Amino acid sequence: MIELQGLTRVFGERTAVDNLNLRVESGQICALIGTSGCGKSTTLKMINRLIEPTSGTVLINGEDIRDQQPELLRRRIGYAIQGVGLFPHRTVYDNIATVPRLLNWPAKQIDQRVHELLDLLKMDFDTFAYQYPHRLSGGEQQRIGVARALAARPELMLMDEPFGALDPLTRERLQGELKQIQRMLGITTILVTHDIEEAIRLADQIAVMDGGKLLQVASPAELLRNPREGFVSQLVGGEERALRLLSLRSVGDLAQPADQFELSDDTPCIDAGMSLRDALARQIWQRSAVLRVVDETGATCGAVSLQELINAGGRD
Amino acid sequence: MPFRIDRLGLTLAVAVALVLVLLPLLNLQPNRILPGSGVPLGELLKQSGMQLFLLLLIPTAIVSCLRTQALFKLGLSALSLLALIYALGTDSTALLADKSGFARLALGSGFWALLLLLGLMLTDALIKLELSALPRLLLVVGYLAVLFVLLAGGVWDRLSLMLEYHNQPAFWQQGARHLLLALGSIVPALIIGVPLGIRCHRSPRVRAALIPVLSLLQTIPSLAMFGLLMIPLSLLALSFPLLADLGIRGIGVAPAVLALFLYSLLPIVSNTAAGFDGLDPAVLQAARGMGMSRRQMLWQIELPLALPVMLSGLRIVVTMNIGLVAVAGLIGGGGYGTYIFQGLGQTATDLVLLGTLPTILLAFLAALLIDTLIAMTTREAQ
């Protein structure tokens, strides 16, 4: 668990972060979102003391971060940034081993950990471990950046627009992988982004910032349904709001018993794990108001109709 | 397959032909000092060495005009150059046979021009071969070693240049001293210049104060600098005889090393600062964010990444200093400059050359060595 209490940072005349209070439960992903210059990156950097707050405190599992030397604190916190910042003169292996080496892990344990992490990110050890970063694609570099941040099993992970520089396809794939890994490892994560889609896709909790102030903190569904007037509403609103709401729930969640519908062999199918947004798209594309919902084995486990999608995505 | 013309090669080949016809390869001098006259090409061509050389030169020139395998061109031009050196040596015995004991054969303008042209052919072929840095270095050093063996074996012993060499028993000591002076000023300049460069990178105020001063130092001509340093150093030596005993005097090694040290600072400081300026901010932020201390960042990240730019500063300094040490010969600093100034005093051109050629060779080798280092450090980092 991490708590920011009354966090404030003033640069000269300008207040970059103004009395910010935020609490992120263990194992959750919190997205800090806002336009450039809203103070979200500054907030993030105050958590690993790259920037010292003018006032306020940060508690990690109840411990004040000022009780620890900055270098030692940072080695406990994973840090991944836009542009990755891989060390160009070091191999992938040595990049990942950075923090474990700073912590003086034995070589054997480091070796094991590098293998584990490359496995976790579905990268072949023999292909990648001894490459230099410039030989990798942008997506591969970012994956190594994430592996490097995770190397010393940090209790907290800070990510500053980690996928900002990637093409949309790669970005989406990496977002999916990140979510999976985060769920598996249960690392508390704070993610800075300016992309509302990314925040909705990844976060359990979204904190919207503007002009250094925290405007609203809510779950994605809550934020979409009840945004505060003004900036938040502009950010999440617009015509796509219904679709974003649909994207938060899976088809399996909403499926009704199949016998309530007259399903024929021609009724199009959809996997239970897909989102409601995907279901709507398929209904439109297939010109069918009903979809057969199937589980991983391909067996029918229910059905979903257009009316239910409308009910799920519409305003209260 | 139609032959295609290599324009650079064609130009070089034409130039080689013109040089052979127009400029003398050797000059015959009545004695060591009096200017001589060129040995006519016709007379040279009667000698067996020259005939062998021409036999190699003609295919070399033809191949050089065509776009063919670089290795082929490299081999031929390298052989031609060796043949030229060999020919001039062996033929000199025959040419001097009926002359007086004082008569001397000196290398003529034609030889230097051919050396340049064949050297260009060699370089061009070497570049087109696209070797990586280390094999290239080994190839060049190997070739120079062959030349060295030829000269050490006495091919040129009848030529005036080598006669001067045999008159100078201290030639190799002077070489060691030359290098010592050049490097002896660079090591302290590195020890002081690198930290100063890092300071410049971190503080614009330090940079604004320091760089103009160092630039100003660079503009002082070397002789003037030696002169300026003589006064305070002489005073020091007079007031503290102990220092004088240690060699700190108005003339000699002390002002030379001090001057070279001052000249070295600007390239080292500014290239260090530039190397650090060019580091990727994301890399530094990542390093700090992962918990590296200042010292760890400096040694593990900043210095290795800035190294190629810093080395190119070092390259400037090393080549510059090897050249400037020659000037230090004038104030009794020693090194190959001694021969240059003695030669000038005696109007003995070949003694001047005996000082000049090794100086050029040293600078060339040092530059090549550092280039190899730069290539090796950048390939890794890229």
Side-chain angles (χ1 to χ4, degrees), chain B residues 131-291:
Chain B
L131 289 176
S132 56
L134 196 57
R136 194 178 58 206
L137 177 73
L138 292 177
L139 201 63
V140 174
V141 170
Y143 189 68
L144 289 173
V146 172
L147 286 182
F148 178 79
V149 167
L150 267 183
L151 291 181
V155 226
W156 272 11
D157 277 1
R158 297 300 304 273
L159 288 179
S160 164
L161 182 65
M162 289 308 277
L163 290 174
E164 295 292 350
Y165 165 73
H166 288 300
N167 275 338
Q168 301 293 344
F171 180 83
W172 294 101
Q173 280 99 298
Q174 293 288 26
R177 193 182 177 82
H178 198 103
L179 271 185
L180 195 72
L181 281 176
L183 298 182
S185 51
I186 288 169
V187 172
L190 280 175
I191 293 173
I192 291 176
V194 169
L196 277 181
I198 296 173
R199 282 299 298 276
C200 282
H201 159 72
R202 293 194 178 146
S203 151
R205 275 173 53 194
V206 173
R207 180 183 301 221
L210 191 63
I211 298 287
V213 175
L214 295 180
S215 306
L216 188 72
L217 281 177
Q218 288 273 310
T219 62
I220 304 176
S222 48
L223 276 178
M225 178 82 101
F226 294 140
L228 285 174
L229 289 172
M230 276 180 194
I231 301 161
L233 284 172
S234 308
L235 284 177
L236 260 181
L238 276 178
S239 348
F240 303 96
L242 186 68
L243 285 179
D245 291 343
L246 288 172
I248 299 187
R249 269 170 254 147
I251 56 167
V253 178
V257 169
L258 196 55
L260 295 177
F261 163 78
L262 292 175
Y263 283 131
S264 306
L265 281 177
L266 179 69
I268 291 177
V269 170
S270 59
N271 274 61
T272 302
F276 275 69
D277 292 345
L279 297 177
D280 179 357
V283 167
L284 300 181
Q285 201 195 336
R288 215 154 84 81
M290 281 190 296

Side-chain angles (χ1 to χ4, degrees), chain A residues 196 208 215-216 223-239 241 244:
Chain A
I196 184 71
V208 184
L215 298 183
Q216 186 173 7
L223 196 72
L224 285 167
R225 285 196 187 284
N226 300 311
R228 291 248 170 91
E229 283 295 313
F231 180 76
V232 185
S233 170
Q234 273 172 30
L235 186 75
V236 302
E239 298 306 325
R241 197 198 302 194
R244 286 175 180 152

Side-chain angles (χ1 to χ4, degrees), chain B residues 58-73:
Chain B
I58 291 167
T60 306
I62 295 173
V63 167
S64 139
C65 300
L66 304 173
R67 292 198 195 178
T68 51
Q69 289 262 328
L71 196 61
F72 201 38
K73 290 186 175 190

Side-chain angles (χ1 to χ4, degrees), chain B residues 15-145:
Chain B
V16 164
L18 286 175
V19 163
L20 270 181
V21 175
L22 296 176
L23 299 176
L25 286 175
L26 290 172
N27 282 329
L28 186 62
Q29 299 172 193
N31 62 31
R32 179 165 174 250
I33 290 162
L34 285 178
S37 53
V39 179
L41 187 63
E43 197 171 331
L44 273 176
L45 283 177
K46 289 181 198 148
Q47 311 299 329
S48 58
M50 274 313 282
Q51 289 163 2
L52 174 76
F53 166 61
L54 272 190
L55 221 59
L56 263 171
L57 186 64
I58 291 167
T60 306
I62 295 173
V63 167
S64 139
C65 300
L66 304 173
R67 292 198 195 178
T68 51
Q69 289 262 328
L71 196 61
F72 201 38
K73 290 186 175 190
L74 186 72
L76 272 175
S77 46
L79 279 178
S80 291
L81 192 55
L82 287 181
L84 174 65
I85 286 164
Y86 174 76
L88 294 178
T90 51
D91 294 349
S92 56
T93 315
L95 288 166
L96 282 170
D98 55 346
K99 303 291 185 299
S100 84
F102 293 112
R104 283 201 173 198
L105 269 179
L107 296 163
S109 50
F111 169 78
W112 300 115
L114 273 190
L115 182 67
L116 175 72
L117 291 170
L118 287 172
L120 283 174
M121 281 184 190
L122 268 174
T123 316
D124 181 48
L126 197 56
I127 290 168
K128 287 192 177 130
L129 211 52
E130 290 178 348
L131 289 176
S132 56
L134 196 57
R136 194 178 58 206
L137 177 73
L138 292 177
L139 201 63
V140 174
V141 170
Y143 189 68
L144 289 173

